[in-house]
Amino acid sequence: MSSRNIFYFIVTLCMLIGISMTLYRHVQFEVPWFPGEKRQIWSIEAKVEFDAKGESVEAVLALPLTQRGYTRIHESTASLAYGLSFVNDQDNPRAIWTKRTADGHQEMYYKVDFLVDPKAADIYQPKMPDTPFTEYPEPYFTAANHLSKQAEEVSADAYSFTRELIKALTGDTASKSQNTGLILDYKPKNRLVVDLLNNADVPARIVRGLQLEDGRRRQGITEYIQVFKDENDWQIFDLATGIQGRPDNTLLWEYNGNSLLEVVGGKDSQVTFSMLLVEQSAQSAVAPKISEADFLNFSIDSLPLEEQALFKGILLIPIGVLIVVLLRVLVGLKTSGTFMPVLIAMAFMQTSLMTGLIGFLLVVGTGLVIRGYLSHLNLLLVSRISAVIITVIGIISIFSVMSFKVGLTEGLKITFFPMIILSWTIERMSVLWEEEGPKEVVMQGGGSLLVAVLAFLAMNNEYVRHLTFNFMGIQFIVLGVILILGNYTGYRLLELRRFKPLADKEG
């Protein structure tokens, strides 16, 4: 393989890696393309109440997990002097409050936030229950058998059988049937449907869901029938309507047929729910989801905040470098030093643009005057550069003190300038002045400032900062573009003016 083919292979590989990583972050973890995007979050609070009997207390509350359409991102609890433990069991997740002795009315709270997430899927697979046969005394047994046979005759499978059963026990149909009225007097409809399904060898049980409605307070839980065809195929049925499928805006709170609340050492227990739909920035909303990232999710979100703040600035440097490459390779601007403008642009981000420009011109201008005097002392290069560094520090210190004395606190930000880079810039411009004259100094110095300003505008852009911080793949894309630009051997834009006389002559 030729070196040219290897080069194109490397460029293509960088671009593909960068694009793949970026798309993966956006699709898998819903990291937004634009800053300021919003996500909807359901904030739900469960209030547990009961009357303690003056003995040891244990209260167990079933908890919801991430499921289709909703990603659990945060949970918290509040209770007075109770011990708390979470059991993170996918078959029966729960919170357990315990206390050695409690008396009187007790209250405890569990709060959970769910991100509205169309890509979310059930992280649990409910286990198919057994089908115990339930004996009914006469005449209820005969009525139940008659009702079950009627539904079976007009059904084709477990799901249609369930629909027909619920239909027979609901509304006008139920009121017209003597058998239906009799059996409903014996047992509640929810338990009756489960018993009839189990007696027909159809695995079924009661599960509990919460109907989400913004601003609701003290809302109770809603019961549904969960019916299985096999271990991997199950459906939810609405007991009131017989409609198959999970209703919209419904969060399954308990989905394995376990108790919603169990209290030992108390009586008159109940759970009520309050909920609120809030909007939050997409970045904050998906942060907990990103923190559970896998190996393919290259992100700095898992780092401590101090390191994140550091990398937020470092990851902008390739953007500044790209601006320098574009302006030097394609436009032909001259700069004092190859990437000195990027460092100056980084300083501008700390000081603000106008303060940075004024500070840069003051320090470099004063430094050039002092460096001009040092050139008459015939010092060695190392000593001369060291003297310039100390001089730059002195200049920055004097300007900072003077600006503070007159009340210009913005002048204090001049300390953010990289002193070593400024010293080398002064030395380089001084040598250039002696060898090429002041015109070349103005051209390179002006070019450096122009490139630094353009790099600052690009690096300080909110959209660019968002992309570089949240999508590490951008670094590979920038690298690929820089490699392509490094292969450019054509004319630069500013060089075309050399051919202007020829164009005028031909005209």
Side-chain angles (χ1 to χ4, degrees):
M1 183 181 292
S2 67
S3 59
R4 180 59 54 189
N5 291 334
I6 294 176
F7 170 77
Y8 287 125
F9 172 77
I10 293 174
V11 171
T12 304
L13 183 63
C14 287
M15 299 293 283
L16 287 176
I17 291 175
I19 293 173
S20 300
M21 289 176 61
T22 302
L23 291 177
Y24 181 79
R25 283 270 293 173
H26 175 70
V27 174
Q28 184 67 23
F29 299 100
E30 292 193 275
V31 179
W33 292 123
F34 300 96
E37 289 188 22
K38 300 290 185 180
R39 290 286 189 274
Q40 289 186 325
I41 293 177
W42 281 103
S43 187
I44 305 168
E45 182 181 78
K47 181 180 181 182
V48 177
E49 297 177 273
F50 60 90
D51 293 324
K53 301 177 181 178
E55 56 191 57
S56 61
V57 170
E58 181 181 82
V60 181
L61 176 67
L63 303 181
L65 292 177
T66 294
Q67 54 193 269
R68 191 182 69 196
Y70 302 96
T71 298
R72 191 178 74 176
I73 59 176
H74 183 260
E75 61 180 349
S76 61
T77 63
S79 58
L80 182 61
Y82 272 83
L84 172 67
S85 60
F86 288 99
V87 178
N88 296 315
D89 180 2
Q90 288 192 5
D91 293 334
N92 187 20
R94 56 201 184 275
I96 304 175
W97 288 274
T98 54
K99 192 173 184 179
R100 177 67 64 181
T101 305
D103 192 16
H105 188 69
Q106 306 291 307
E107 293 181 357
M108 48 203 66
Y109 297 87
Y110 170 78
K111 183 176 179 295
V112 62
D113 293 333
F114 276 92
L115 172 68
V116 178
D117 185 359
K119 297 183 179 66
D122 296 332
I123 67 171
Y124 57 85
Q125 176 55 48
K127 294 181 178 179
M128 189 168 63
D130 297 328
T131 56
F133 189 86
T134 304
E135 288 281 359
Y136 284 14
E138 292 292 355
Y140 306 111
F141 183 75
T142 301
N145 277 344
H146 179 74
L147 184 64
S148 182
K149 288 179 181 179
Q150 281 186 328
E152 187 176 2
E153 289 176 357
V154 292
S155 62
D157 56 14
Y159 294 158
S160 57
F161 179 50
T162 304
R163 288 196 299 270
E164 294 301 323
L165 270 181
I166 296 175
K167 188 188 302 181
L169 293 168
T170 304
D172 293 338
T173 304
S175 63
K176 293 176 182 177
S177 171
Q178 183 178 3
N179 289 327
T180 301
L182 178 66
I183 197 70
L184 284 174
D185 289 336
Y186 177 72
K187 185 170 282 194
K189 185 169 75 170
N190 55 355
R191 290 304 319 166
L192 179 61
V193 172
V194 171
D195 288 347
L196 294 179
L197 288 171
N198 287 339
N199 287 353
D201 289 327
V202 175
R205 62 187 169 203
I206 296 173
V207 296
R208 297 162 182 85
L210 188 62
Q211 294 181 349
L212 301 176
E213 185 177 343
D214 189 21
R216 288 296 299 270
R217 298 175 63 249
R218 301 190 66 82
Q219 179 173 323
I221 207 78
T222 302
E223 293 188 341
Y224 299 93
I225 300 296
Q226 184 184 47
V227 180
F228 287 77
K229 275 188 177 180
D230 55 51
E231 291 184 355
N232 299 314
D233 188 357
W234 57 273
Q235 286 290 339
I236 297 293
F237 289 84
D238 191 324
L239 271 168
T241 63
I243 295 176
Q244 177 180 330
R246 193 178 308 179
D248 295 335
N249 293 330
T250 296
L251 180 75
L252 285 184
W253 194 277
E254 198 292 310
Y255 44 82
N256 271 310
N258 299 310
S259 300
L260 176 66
L261 176 65
E262 295 179 356
V263 176
V264 177
K267 61 181 181 178
D268 299 330
S269 60
Q270 65 171 343
V271 184
T272 55
F273 298 87
S274 301
M275 62 203 70
L276 193 65
L277 180 63
V278 297
E279 284 194 344
Q280 190 174 339
S281 70
Q283 188 62 33
S284 300
V286 302
K289 186 176 179 181
I290 295 173
S291 65
E292 301 175 359
D294 55 23
F295 179 75
L296 295 176
N297 180 41
F298 291 93
S299 168
I300 64 174
D301 296 277
S302 58
L303 296 176
L305 288 178
E306 184 178 355
E307 280 68 26
Q308 287 190 39
L310 175 64
F311 272 99
K312 195 166 188 177
I314 292 176
L315 293 173
L316 290 170
I317 293 178
I319 303 300
V321 169
L322 177 61
I323 298 298
V324 173
V325 173
L326 285 170
L327 293 176
R328 290 195 58 148
V329 173
L330 298 183
V331 179
L333 279 177
K334 294 182 178 180
T335 61
S336 179
T338 307
F339 294 109
M340 184 270 287
V342 178
L343 299 175
I344 300 300
M346 292 290 291
F348 286 167
M349 294 180 66
Q350 301 293 329
T351 62
S352 78
L353 184 57
M354 288 306 300
T355 302
L357 282 173
I358 294 172
F360 179 83
L361 292 173
L362 285 174
V363 173
V364 173
T366 307
L368 282 175
V369 173
I370 297 174
R371 168 60 179 79
Y373 172 74
L374 292 176
S375 64
H376 297 294
L377 301 180
N378 295 322
L379 300 175
L380 295 175
L381 176 63
V382 175
S383 298
R384 192 168 66 238
I385 290 295
S386 301
V388 172
I389 292 174
I390 296 173
T391 301
V392 168
I393 294 174
I395 294 169
I396 290 177
S397 301
I398 292 171
F399 285 156
S400 297
V401 173
M402 290 177 59
S403 63
F404 181 75
K405 291 288 187 181
V406 297
L408 298 176
T409 54
E410 285 290 316
L412 298 175
K413 295 180 179 179
I414 197 174
T415 55
F416 286 108
F417 275 105
M419 297 178 186
I420 304 299
I421 300 300
L422 285 178
S423 302
W424 271 107
T425 301
I426 293 171
E427 173 68 19
R428 185 184 182 90
M429 287 186 175
S430 180
V431 172
L432 191 65
W433 188 298
E434 294 172 355
E435 295 179 352
E436 303 291 339
K439 181 180 178 181
E440 191 67 21
V441 172
V442 172
M443 288 183 62
Q444 291 194 18
S448 297
L449 274 183
L450 177 60
V451 174
V453 170
L454 294 176
F456 163 78
L457 294 175
M459 296 163 66
N460 200 46
N461 182 271
E462 184 182 8
Y463 180 60
V464 173
R465 292 165 69 93
H466 172 79
L467 289 179
T468 54
F469 182 76
N470 292 287
F471 298 96
M472 293 289 288
I474 296 294
Q475 309 300 320
F476 286 94
I477 297 175
V478 171
L479 176 60
V481 173
I482 289 176
L483 290 176
I484 293 173
L485 291 173
N487 199 41
Y488 179 74
T489 57
Y491 289 109
R492 295 173 173 85
L493 185 62
L494 293 180
E495 290 178 340
L496 295 179
R497 62 182 179 179
R498 292 187 302 169
F499 299 98
K500 188 175 184 302
L502 292 177
D504 296 340
K505 186 176 180 180
E506 289 180 359

